[in-house]
Amino acid sequence: MGRALLALHAAGAHRLAPKSLAGTGVIFMLHRVRPDDGADFAPNRLLEVTPDFLEETIATVRALGYSCLSLDDAVSRLDAGESTERFAVFTLDDGYRDNLTDALPVFERHDVPFTVYLTTGLPDGDAEIWWVALERVISSAIAVHVKLPDGEIAMFTRDAGEKTEAWGKLYWALRALPEELLRAEIRRLAAEHGIDMAALTRELAMNWDEVRTLAAHPLASIEAHTANHFAQSGLSSAAAKQDIERGVARMEAELGRRPTHFSYPYGDHGSAGERDFELARALGFRSATTTRKGLIHASHAGRLHSLPRLSLNGEYQDRRMLEVLLSGLPFALGRRIRALGID
């Protein structure tokens, strides 16, 4: 994907694209913001951008004429049919501590509002950041053995190449499992390799005091992302509703306000569908975002509970790629951007 975007930029194709392809705005999706540690094996790096690239992104959208809005203001503008000025919205999923320590200072310097979609099980300490646990298992091991319902996968992980190959096979095999089976196998792997899942959550996620600190900031809004970070489409209707309502109740209890916007965990086509969009609407959220890749167009006013986002992918931290994506040209050409990790 990166080479294709750079080729389009070098050819100047993004400058020739019809302005209508860029739509009315963009909702950026981020997860973590922190300096690059330079690790050879870092499959979750795609979920991270550096503070410098976040600053460059803000500068880029402003140079292109975008207005940086809060999510709530952008939804109001979209709902009202206002399209005189393109908007950019910054959202961060899950509730990582670096959203407070590394992202907030950048947003403060540039006076940019942002939204954190919070999985309440993280500050509660009972949700698991299983994708990082899997990375650490593979990183620390010379071989990994995964048990699946239809068989077992055993792979050597002696160097960065073997670790990367193992991740590509094991991650997607595990993602194909029902969520409860996935989590159970990750817990088994973590215990086998000496990874403390609860300690990992405490290390990476904000606690409630930190969430309250962020929520009190005038630039920040804290919105809903379920209690357990389960793929909604894999749950029964009752269980999906319960997971959302538990998260909302915990936010009300800890923050004193009911969230008005929602983001679907993982959020791809296989993780959230029409049933889930209708549930978010029925629960009274003003909007709900997916991880389906795209820009915001006027037509999304009628689809406020299935809004696409543009991922700031840590593997593609390049202003040139960003400019091409913001032109809308790759989407119009049908160059579908594959979700390479946890969305």
Side-chain angles (χ1 to χ4, degrees):
M1 182 184 76
R3 289 180 180 177
L5 294 175
L6 290 175
L8 287 171
H9 190 279
H14 62 298
R15 296 189 183 92
L16 301 175
K19 292 189 181 302
S20 60
L21 297 183
T24 61
V26 58
I27 301 176
F28 287 115
M29 176 181 68
L30 303 91
H31 289 79
R32 303 193 63 189
V33 178
R34 65 172 188 142
D36 187 353
D37 62 11
D40 290 335
F41 173 68
N44 285 306
R45 185 175 286 136
L46 60 91
L47 299 178
E48 306 173 2
V49 300
T50 65
D52 286 346
F53 186 67
L54 178 55
E55 298 218 44
E56 186 173 21
T57 300
I58 293 170
T60 297
V61 295
R62 283 183 164 162
L64 292 172
Y66 288 74
S67 176
C68 293
L69 299 183
S70 70
L71 176 63
D72 206 57
D73 286 346
V75 169
S76 293
R77 181 180 291 189
L78 185 61
D79 198 30
E82 298 177 19
S83 58
T84 55
E85 182 183 39
R86 290 196 180 100
F87 63 79
V89 174
F90 289 85
T91 65
L92 304 96
D93 286 8
D94 302 338
Y96 294 96
R97 180 170 288 114
D98 53 55
N99 294 180
L100 174 66
T101 59
D102 292 79
L104 175 59
V106 175
F107 291 125
E108 282 182 320
R109 280 195 294 276
H110 297 277
D111 194 29
V112 171
F114 65 99
T115 290
V116 172
Y117 289 117
L118 179 69
T119 295
T120 58
L122 294 178
D124 278 341
D126 53 18
E128 299 159 330
I129 308 176
W130 68 262
W131 45 97
V132 177
L134 179 61
E135 177 181 324
R136 292 195 179 181
V137 165
I138 295 173
S139 180
S140 64
I142 59 170
V144 176
H145 179 251
V146 172
K147 299 178 180 179
L148 301 172
D150 58 352
E152 301 178 346
I153 301 176
M155 300 187 73
F156 283 115
T157 54
R158 295 165 293 193
D159 56 35
E162 288 185 345
K163 292 178 190 298
T164 299
E165 182 181 359
W167 171 271
K169 187 167 186 177
L170 299 179
Y171 171 82
W172 290 109
L174 289 163
R175 271 291 302 272
L177 297 177
E179 197 89 29
E180 292 290 357
L181 292 180
L182 181 160
R183 304 288 179 105
E185 179 58 13
I186 292 292
R187 290 186 204 109
R188 186 197 67 78
L189 275 173
E192 182 178 286
H193 292 270
I195 305 295
D196 186 330
M197 297 282 285
L200 183 61
T201 296
R202 291 193 299 271
E203 173 193 341
L204 298 181
M206 288 185 285
N207 59 42
W208 279 113
D209 285 341
E210 291 167 322
V211 174
R212 277 188 284 271
T213 296
L214 196 58
H217 197 284
L219 291 174
S221 65
I222 311 297
E223 302 296 349
H225 198 43
T226 76
N228 288 315
H229 202 281
F230 284 178
Q232 296 294 283
S233 63
L235 303 174
S236 68
S237 295
K241 182 180 179 182
Q242 182 182 50
D243 195 20
I244 296 171
E245 290 182 326
R246 279 186 55 212
V248 167
R250 289 296 296 129
M251 292 179 71
E252 286 187 288
E254 294 288 346
L255 304 179
R257 65 172 288 272
R258 183 180 179 83
T260 55
H261 301 276
F262 179 70
S263 176
Y264 306 96
Y266 307 106
D268 55 21
H269 285 77
S271 301
E274 292 300 326
R275 182 207 69 176
D276 309 296
F277 304 155
E278 181 54 39
L279 177 57
R281 183 182 297 108
L283 288 172
F285 292 109
R286 289 196 70 204
S287 76
T289 53
T290 68
T291 63
R292 299 181 184 194
K293 306 302 187 284
L295 305 176
I296 302 298
H297 293 263
S299 60
H300 285 109
R303 304 200 302 274
L304 290 176
H305 295 86
S306 56
L307 295 174
R309 288 187 286 175
L310 183 59
S311 174
L312 289 183
N313 187 316
E315 300 288 1
Y316 305 109
Q317 298 183 68
D318 190 305
R319 178 180 179 140
R320 295 169 296 173
M321 297 184 194
L322 179 61
E323 288 176 349
V324 173
L325 289 168
L326 288 172
S327 76
L329 183 60
F331 307 106
L333 293 175
R335 296 182 185 276
R336 188 173 179 180
I337 301 172
R338 183 167 176 247
L340 297 174
I342 306 295
D343 290 327

